[in-house]
Structure formats: structure tokens, C-alpha cells
Amino acid sequence: MSEDFLSRILEEKSSANAFRSLRLSGSQADYVSNDYLGIVKNGLIEDLLRDSHFNHGSTGSRLLAGNYPLIEETEKEIARFHNSPAALIFNSGYDANFGLLASVARKGDLIIYDKLSHASIRDGIRQSFAESLSFAHNDLGELERKLKKGKSNSFVITESVFSMDGDMAPLAEMAVLCEKYKAHLIVDEAHATGVIGKRGEGLVQHLKLQDKCFARIHTFGKALGCHGAVILGSQTLRNFLINFCRPFIYSTAIPPASVAAIQASYKIFPGMDKERQTISNLITLFDQNGFKKSATPIQCFIMPGNEKIKQAAQHLLDNNLDARPILYPTVPKGEERLRIALHSFNTVEETIRLISALKSFSMNDDR
Ligand SMILES: Cc1ncc(COP(=O)(O)O)c(C=O)c1O
């Protein structure tokens, strides 16, 4: 069977220096993973669940055999922690964003999204029958101009902490605009969960904006060290998603073993102040060396060109450090970068080594 049609497209990807391949992580210092608090690295959930036994299969969709007391109990606990009337667990953050946007925004509605929004948000928008408009990253003026074009229902979606830049959205100002134009604000807290706020509750609660949001998405696969996600909102929104959100309806539910891990993580991460402080100290170290790009664990080292940034990643590997290159088209052309994730388990010594390696690579590049 000929697969030339696939090979041709892959060759184009290769010649653009954008070919993706899988590689196993080695023993280098980890500046890649989203395990910001070291919950996975230090086996904290395994410790808590050591004597527990939970099924690894849920046997069906939540609407059929896949609903069980632990998942409903955990949703109630998560809703309470995040000050939300209701919560609905999803198999992943991708499913949550995709399913939410594809279902709540209907024909005749308008979705307005930050240009740097995650692929799961863009894919959900593409799947919905609503119109969509983007606004330049964190640009409130452009957001307002787009809001003026509002339709019967307008939705505004952003990430609270941006996955590739680590900067934060101006949520307070966005909430004011959404109120003014009667738009529904949706915030993806994937990279804020566990990290932002006194107890890792996320940026929305940190700014006391929970009542201004139509929906919030928290993912469990990053700082929380698990897998899955939750959509927070009203009981009406929860009922709507159960009835209309296709990734929720037509997929096997997340199993009890995964939900037990999520429940355990919610017992652990709110108290991880020391870990959040350690990350903050590493951000200060980046700042002192002129490398700070954001106030969150996500930093980046931008150097245009896919080939150049791959060389930078190799230079780090040669120094026993692991930070992966993020290539165009995942980020805009000219903004190719190393995405550097700082963790509570990264030492000052290895972070100084990382900064030196970045400096030496930049200097060699200038010559
Ligand atoms: C901002 C953002 N939203 C959603 C997701 C998807 O979450 P998950 O990995 O749980 O599918 C990611 C993960 O890369 C993300 O960075």
C-alpha cells in the first residue's frame, strides 16, 4: 500500500526543519516537564495512596456505566476548593477546552480569543458553529474593538498563564470589559494551577474574579502531577456539558485510579508553599542574570530559526541540561525558543549552570 502521500508531507516538514520525533528523557537536569512542584518526581501521590486499591478501568462513558461515587465526590471537593458552584471532570485539558468551546458557542455567537491561545482552544473554536475573532496577545484595546462586534452571545477566552511565554493575562481588566459588553469570560488555568495563588488555586481566585467567569479550566497533568482536567462553572453549565459536550458524552470516563490520584493531589499541592517559594527564588536568579521573561515557572530563551534553536537545545544537552526547542509553527516564526520550566527540585547550582550555558550559546552566536 502506497503511503507516498504521507511521506511527501513529512519531507516538507523535514525540509522546514520542523520534523517532530519522540525521544526518551535522559538523566539531564529537568527544565522540560510541567511537574513544577516535583509531585511526580518525588512520588508524593504514590506515597499517599500506597495502601489503596482503585480500579484502572471505568467501563464506560459517565452517561452509561462509567459514573461512580468517587468521581462525583472529587468534583464536589474541587468545586469547593476553587469557590465554584459546580465542577465537571474531563479526561484531559485538551478534551475540556475543545469540548467546552465546541458545545457552548452556537451558530450566531462570537468567540474572541487571544492570538497565543493553546491548540485545544483553537481546535474547539474551529469545531463550533460560532464566528471567531482573535486579538493580539494581551491587547485590551483590540479586545474591546472586537467585543463591539458582539453577537447574541459573545465568549472571551484566554489562558491565565501562557504556556509558551509564561506571562499572565490582564484578567481584572478583561473581566471589566466582559461585564461592559455582556460577554462570557472563559479562563484556562492550566499553567497557573498549583503554582499561582497562596494555595496554588490559580490566578482567577488569586484576583478574586471567580464570580466574573463563565467557566474556568484547570488541568491536572501539570503541577498537580496527574492527568485530566476540570471545568468549573454554574450547575446550569455542568448540566449543559453533560448533555451537549461530545468529548464528555462519547468517551470512556477517567478511571477511579486516576481520580484517586487527583483527589490526593488536591490534598497535597495547596500546602506546598516551600516549593512555590523555591521556584520564586529561581525566578529571581534568572532575573539577576538578565534572563527573566515572566513571573511564573515558565521562562523562555528566544532565538529565531528552527535550526538555531535546535542547536541551542543540543548545547544544553551537551552540558547535561534538558530544555526542549519549541519550533515554528507551534510558536510564531522568528520567536522559536527554548521553553524553560523551573521546578522546586532544580538546584541553584544546576540553574547557574543552565544560565551559563545559555550565555555561552548567545555569545558564540554573536560572533
Ligand atoms: C494552556 C493549556 N491548555 C490546555 C492544555 C491541555 O491540557 P492536557 O495536557 O491536560 O490535555 C495544555 C497542555 O499543553 C495547555 O498548555
Side-chain angles (χ1 to χ4, degrees):
M1 193 193 314
S2 168
E3 293 187 348
D4 288 354
F5 66 107
L6 299 180
S7 303
R8 264 197 306 279
I9 299 168
L10 281 173
E11 274 157 26
E12 279 169 27
K13 192 115 183 118
S14 270
S15 46
N17 246 317
F19 187 79
R20 295 179 170 113
S21 56
L22 300 176
R23 95 166 159 79
L24 295 172
S25 295
S27 58
Q28 302 87 7
D30 172 10
Y31 290 95
V32 183
S33 79
N34 292 318
D35 184 24
Y36 303 119
L37 300 170
I39 288 180
V40 175
K41 186 180 175 68
N42 296 317
L44 302 186
I45 291 171
E46 287 76 3
D47 284 351
L48 205 63
L49 297 179
R50 180 140 295 144
D51 300 320
S52 314
H53 297 282
F54 292 96
N55 288 341
H56 290 276
S58 68
T59 77
S61 158
R62 292 276 298 273
L63 285 157
L64 299 172
N67 201 33
Y68 47 90
L70 179 66
I71 197 165
E72 294 202 346
E73 176 190 312
T74 305
E75 286 175 336
K76 288 196 178 99
E77 287 172 12
I78 292 174
R80 225 174 292 127
F81 177 80
H82 287 294
N83 265 328
S84 173
L88 190 66
I89 288 180
F90 280 73
N91 288 352
S92 72
Y94 186 96
D95 277 2
N97 276 335
F98 181 91
L100 174 72
L101 289 162
S103 60
V104 297
R106 323 281 283 186
K107 198 168 168 32
D109 293 342
L110 174 65
I111 306 173
I112 307 172
Y113 64 99
D114 189 291
K115 228 175 197 139
L116 295 191
S117 293
H118 190 260
S120 54
I121 294 173
R122 290 155 165 275
D123 292 356
I125 292 170
R126 223 190 283 166
Q127 188 68 20
S128 96
F129 291 105
E131 277 180 43
S132 66
L133 294 169
S134 66
F135 59 97
H137 180 49
N138 283 345
D139 185 331
L140 292 166
E142 195 178 356
L143 170 60
E144 181 158 23
R145 286 194 293 283
K146 301 283 159 82
L147 275 165
K148 286 180 179 159
K149 301 180 186 209
K151 302 264 170 167
S152 54
N153 283 311
S154 296
F155 300 88
V156 172
I157 179 152
T158 188
E159 297 172 30
S160 53
V161 170
F162 280 84
S163 61
M164 291 297 153
D165 294 77
D167 58 340
M168 295 188 228
L171 286 186
E173 293 82 351
M174 290 178 77
V176 170
L177 285 176
C178 285
E179 207 153 42
K180 180 171 170 190
Y181 292 94
K182 298 190 175 16
H184 299 81
L185 179 60
I186 302 174
V187 182
D188 175 348
E189 294 257 48
H191 293 278
T193 316
V195 171
I196 304 293
K198 231 177 144 27
R199 306 182 69 221
E201 63 273 28
L203 186 60
V204 168
Q205 278 167 276
H206 179 63
L207 298 173
K208 299 191 171 44
L209 295 172
Q210 55 273 15
D211 296 338
K212 309 284 181 196
C213 293
F214 166 70
R216 286 178 273 162
I217 299 92
H218 288 268
T219 65
F220 307 137
K222 305 183 193 301
L224 272 56
C226 304
H227 191 266
V230 69
I231 296 180
L232 304 174
S234 68
Q235 192 59 52
T236 306
L237 175 62
R238 187 174 187 275
N239 286 338
F240 185 90
L241 293 170
I242 292 169
N243 279 275
F244 292 102
C245 181
R246 296 169 73 85
F248 179 85
I249 300 167
Y250 297 108
S251 187
T252 300
I254 191 167
S258 299
V259 174
I262 294 160
Q263 191 184 45
S265 188
Y266 268 86
K267 290 193 172 82
I268 298 169
F269 80 80
M272 297 184 79
D273 304 333
K274 216 169 81 224
E275 285 74 6
R276 283 185 280 273
Q277 185 55 51
T278 306
I279 294 171
S280 172
N281 296 344
L282 293 179
I283 297 169
T284 304
L285 188 60
F286 257 57
D287 195 18
Q288 288 161 347
N289 284 277
F291 277 93
K292 180 181 160 190
K293 287 286 194 298
S294 83
T296 74
I298 303 169
Q299 304 293 323
C300 54
F301 173 79
I302 296 179
M303 194 164 262
N306 281 353
E307 186 52 34
K308 190 49 83 187
I309 207 66
K310 282 183 178 176
Q311 287 169 9
Q314 185 57 48
H315 179 67
L316 293 193
L317 275 182
D318 295 342
N319 285 277
N320 211 23
L321 301 156
D322 195 1
R324 302 290 166 91
I326 310 292
L327 309 176
Y328 169 79
T330 300
V331 289
K333 218 178 187 69
E335 292 183 30
E336 295 81 359
R337 70 204 48 203
L338 296 177
R339 179 183 184 271
I340 298 166
L342 300 174
H343 309 92
S344 57
F345 54 80
N346 290 134
T347 65
V348 169
E349 178 275 328
E350 71 193 4
T351 306
I352 289 173
R353 205 150 48 75
L354 169 71
I355 291 168
S356 303
L358 294 174
K359 280 183 184 165
S360 69
F361 189 81
S362 311
M363 272 160 47
N364 283 332
D365 188 59
D366 287 346
R367 272 182 228 141

